[in-house]
């Protein structure tokens, strides 16, 4: 019986382990390049300039759904197929998973409560504006008004 949900506890544990390892390794590097962060999901598209870090909160769930597509009902076969998919995805898949989970952690750490959110210098945030240039302009105007 095909399924698109994340049925395998082993898949969940494996994805979490990969994500956590990569998150710890990449956290400092990610923090260094975060002058402009855009937090959204696939239902709230944004227009972000080059160089902006775009965090798509549902990216990890979408990757998990890819891995869980058409899994057999038998848990043993299902686990083996997921392991095969993880191995076939190699470093590129591990990077995608780690980046997706790191984004969720970073958005949570920033205290993001609404999407889309545009964050400048990890200090200023504009919620609900899909046009990143407009959000940045609002932040710049605010900064100019408070020297």
């Amino acid at each position: 019986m095909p399924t698109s949900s994340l049925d395998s506890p082993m898949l969940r544990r494996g994805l979490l382990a990969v994500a956590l390892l990569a998150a710890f390794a990449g956290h400092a590097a990610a923090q260094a390049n975060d002058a402009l962060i855009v937090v959204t999901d696939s239902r709230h598209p944004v227009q972000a300039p080059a160089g902006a870090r775009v965090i798509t909160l549902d990216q990890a769930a979408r990757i998990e759904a890819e891995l869980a597509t058409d899994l057999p009902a038998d848990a043993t076969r299902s686990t083996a197929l997921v392991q095969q998919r993880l191995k076939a995805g190699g470093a590129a898949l591990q990077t995608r998973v780690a980046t997706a989970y790191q984004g969720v952690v970073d958005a949570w750490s920033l205290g993001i409560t609404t999407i889309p959110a545009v964050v400048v210098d990890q200090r200023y945030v504009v919620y609900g504006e899909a046009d990143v240039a407009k959000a940045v302009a609002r932040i710049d105007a605010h900064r100019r008004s408070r020297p």
Side-chain angles (χ1 to χ4, degrees):
M1 177 165 134
T3 180
S4 62
S5 65
L6 188 58
D7 291 334
S8 170
M10 180 171 256
L11 172 62
R12 283 188 223 117
R13 285 192 302 271
L15 288 173
L16 182 58
V18 168
L20 289 175
L21 288 173
F24 288 125
H27 186 67
Q31 293 295 318
N33 298 319
D34 287 344
L36 177 58
I37 302 171
V38 181
V39 182
T40 192
D41 66 11
S42 60
R43 293 177 295 147
H44 299 88
V46 296
Q47 296 294 323
R53 178 178 177 209
V54 178
I55 297 172
T56 307
L57 294 176
D58 59 353
Q59 184 63 33
R62 291 172 34 212
I63 294 168
E64 290 172 1
E66 287 174 29
L67 291 170
T69 300
D70 298 326
L71 291 177
D74 177 77
T76 303
R77 288 186 21 214
S78 192
T79 299
L81 183 56
V82 169
Q83 289 173 342
Q84 178 185 0
R85 290 175 181 176
L86 287 168
K87 186 176 180 181
L93 176 58
Q94 291 177 11
T95 299
R96 284 179 58 211
V97 170
T99 300
Y101 279 109
Q102 182 65 55
V104 172
V105 169
D106 291 345
W108 179 78
S109 295
L110 288 167
I112 299 303
T113 59
T114 305
I115 55 175
V118 177
V119 182
V120 173
D121 295 335
Q122 297 185 20
R123 181 173 175 191
Y124 303 95
V125 64
V126 170
Y127 290 113
E129 178 60 67
D131 185 330
V132 177
K134 285 183 184 178
V136 170
R138 286 179 55 195
I139 291 169
D140 288 344
H142 172 77
R143 289 165 103 174
R144 281 192 303 275
S145 72
R146 299 179 186 254

